[in-house]
Amino acid sequence: MRENSHSRARGRTALGLSLAALAAGVTTGAGPATAQPKAAPAPAAECSAAYRIEQKLSTGTTWRMCWRYDSKAGLVLDNVSYQPKGETKPIKVLESARLAQIDVPYDDGSVEYDDLTGFGFAQGLVNMAPTECPGGTIKTVKVPDAFYSDNPNIKGLCTTTRARGHAYRMQADNNKVYQEQGKDLLVYTVNKVGWYEYMTEWRFQDDGTINMNVGATGSLSPGDYDAGDGRGWPIGNGARSKATSHNHNVFWKLNFALDGSSKNTVEQYDSVVSPPARGQEAPTNKTTRTKVTKELAGDSKNMRWWRVVSATGKNKDGHARSYEIVQNATSKYPGRSFTRHDVYFTEYDKCEQFASNNPGCANGHPRFVNQWVNGQTLTRPVAWVNVGFHHIARDEDQQPMPVHWQGFSIAPRDVTAMNPLTPAALADQNGQPRNG
């Protein structure tokens, strides 16, 4: 149970029924309060100023994107491009990026929540105070059915910048030290679902990396302190109240459009380490590339990774631009077929928007991402990334609960010919470093 004592909150069951009555998969078109139409369309290649995010970071990199607010997915980012110093025009990376589901099954088998499509994630957008967006701007989002405000205009989208520490450090032969402190653009919202508050963060680094994270905070549900042994953890004095353990299975959906084309290709890389051969000092490690030409349900393993490759663009060295999917720690949940894989590559289908209980397709169309992997040839690949977290509560989770993060990154691979933050004094050192 994740009911909330807030006066405007709704119980999970009643909320699910009320949302089912809404038009499935409809985008609210939510935007700034100044945008009068109720259903503003998704931004085109160039969106109006009210929907535009553009930030030049102090290290010289500019990120550009459009935003909109979906009635189920919440924040959606469109037309994401990256322009480091030295590039004469923006390099498009993503056609769109969004959350695709937060699936929450409880260890005792009593409930399983699909927070985006069934329990009002988008309607739970909350107002943020200026102190929650330090040094940044809070944009107003129009949420007609907002649960936690009588006013549909929610000050709920923060854009700001943040230092992340060293971007690089190199001590040259002459003892000169080259170093740069990295800067990021942060875009985030807070959405309240029951007792949980989800912080959906998109972090755009000045080196071209994009980090996607969801942080869960808020409170442990007071109605879930009845777990049996092995399915919960005692919280509070003694061992009487055991908070029920549960999973947060978070999915993201990425529509790549490298160099402006959605006709990208996908490659999988696997490395195999073999014992030292006779006369060799160390083991050998061979990396093999496999072109992914058909839809794939992929499983992470040691020394395996994927990249999405541009079909049209090359860097100044003549190498095809690509973005690598960099996976972080995950607790993959085996209880459902759609959560048993770490990444899916499917052929684009406009109606396929959510990884589970997808409401937007015609009758008879499968509703789960694993069912969409059926052998189609990939000409316009869509990436779905699943990151799980098994939440076994602890005393420190109260009160309030510290943020626990889960997510992944996409990192540029050959997007630029050199480190995009290379200092001018080293700009001629492309390729094998010179001696002396």
Side-chain angles (χ1 to χ4, degrees), residues 25-30 68-76 98 122-123 354:
V26 174
T27 298
T28 65
R68 56 189 167 96
Y69 199 77
D70 183 82
S71 65
K72 294 186 184 297
L75 179 65
V76 180
R98 60 194 287 166
Q123 288 71 35
F354 298 92

Side-chain angles (χ1 to χ4, degrees), residues 210-289:
I210 305 174
N211 299 285
M212 288 139 272
N213 296 293
V214 167
T217 182
S219 302
L220 294 171
S221 170
D224 292 317
Y225 281 80
D226 55 356
D229 290 342
R231 294 189 171 87
W233 197 270
I235 302 296
N237 189 21
R240 291 176 300 172
S241 297
K242 293 182 179 178
T244 307
S245 303
H246 50 278
N247 266 72
H248 296 260
N249 304 312
V250 182
F251 286 82
W252 288 260
K253 179 187 178 189
L254 302 180
N255 287 17
F256 283 87
L258 294 172
D259 295 296
S261 173
S262 60
K263 295 184 181 299
N264 308 139
T265 59
V266 178
E267 296 175 350
Q268 176 178 307
Y269 289 80
D270 291 276
S271 299
V272 176
V273 177
S274 302
R278 184 183 297 273
Q280 287 185 320
E281 183 176 335
T284 59
N285 189 348
K286 183 176 181 180
T287 301
T288 302
R289 178 184 67 173

Side-chain angles (χ1 to χ4, degrees), residues 145-176:
D145 299 305
F147 290 161
Y148 299 100
S149 173
D150 292 323
N151 186 340
N153 299 318
I154 307 298
K155 295 183 182 301
L157 173 58
C158 172
T159 61
T160 189
T161 59
R162 188 173 297 173
R164 70 170 187 277
H166 276 90
Y168 62 77
R169 187 185 190 281
M170 187 191 86
Q171 185 165 328
D173 290 341
N174 61 2
N175 288 328
K176 180 177 175 60

Side-chain angles (χ1 to χ4, degrees), residues 2-196:
R2 286 163 73 183
E3 296 180 0
N4 196 305
S5 58
H6 192 286
S7 60
R8 287 185 56 81
R10 309 180 186 184
R12 283 271 192 175
T13 303
L15 176 57
L17 293 174
S18 66
L19 290 175
L22 297 175
V26 174
T27 298
T28 65
T34 54
Q36 294 301 319
K38 270 190 172 182
E46 291 295 332
C47 50
S48 66
Y51 296 95
R52 186 181 305 128
I53 298 172
E54 181 172 335
Q55 180 67 54
K56 184 173 184 178
L57 298 166
S58 60
T59 47
T61 293
T62 300
W63 283 98
R64 297 178 179 88
M65 65 202 72
C66 300
W67 70 272
R68 56 189 167 96
Y69 199 77
D70 183 82
S71 65
K72 294 186 184 297
L75 179 65
V76 180
L77 300 177
D78 292 319
N79 302 308
V80 178
S81 69
Y82 155 61
Q83 187 176 4
K85 61 184 180 182
E87 293 291 334
T88 58
K89 60 182 181 179
I91 301 167
K92 190 167 181 179
V93 180
L94 295 166
E95 184 69 29
S96 68
R98 60 194 287 166
L99 281 180
Q101 192 57 278
I102 302 176
D103 171 69
V104 188
Y106 273 60
D107 282 18
D108 62 2
S110 60
V111 288
E112 183 174 6
Y113 302 122
D114 50 344
D115 282 345
L116 268 62
T117 55
F119 290 96
F121 173 89
Q123 288 71 35
L125 186 70
V126 297
N127 288 291
M128 282 190 275
T131 53
E132 298 184 75
C133 187
T137 300
I138 299 178
K139 296 177 180 289
T140 299
V141 183
K142 193 175 184 67
V143 185
D145 299 305
F147 290 161
Y148 299 100
S149 173
D150 292 323
N151 186 340
N153 299 318
I154 307 298
K155 295 183 182 301
L157 173 58
C158 172
T159 61
T160 189
T161 59
R162 188 173 297 173
R164 70 170 187 277
H166 276 90
Y168 62 77
R169 187 185 190 281
M170 187 191 86
Q171 185 165 328
D173 290 341
N174 61 2
N175 288 328
K176 180 177 175 60
V177 174
Y178 297 93
Q179 70 87 28
E180 184 84 72
Q181 297 295 301
K183 297 293 177 62
D184 300 344
L185 164 66
L186 267 71
V187 180
Y188 55 92
T189 60
V190 180
N191 293 72
K192 186 174 178 61
V193 183
W195 292 91
Y196 270 100

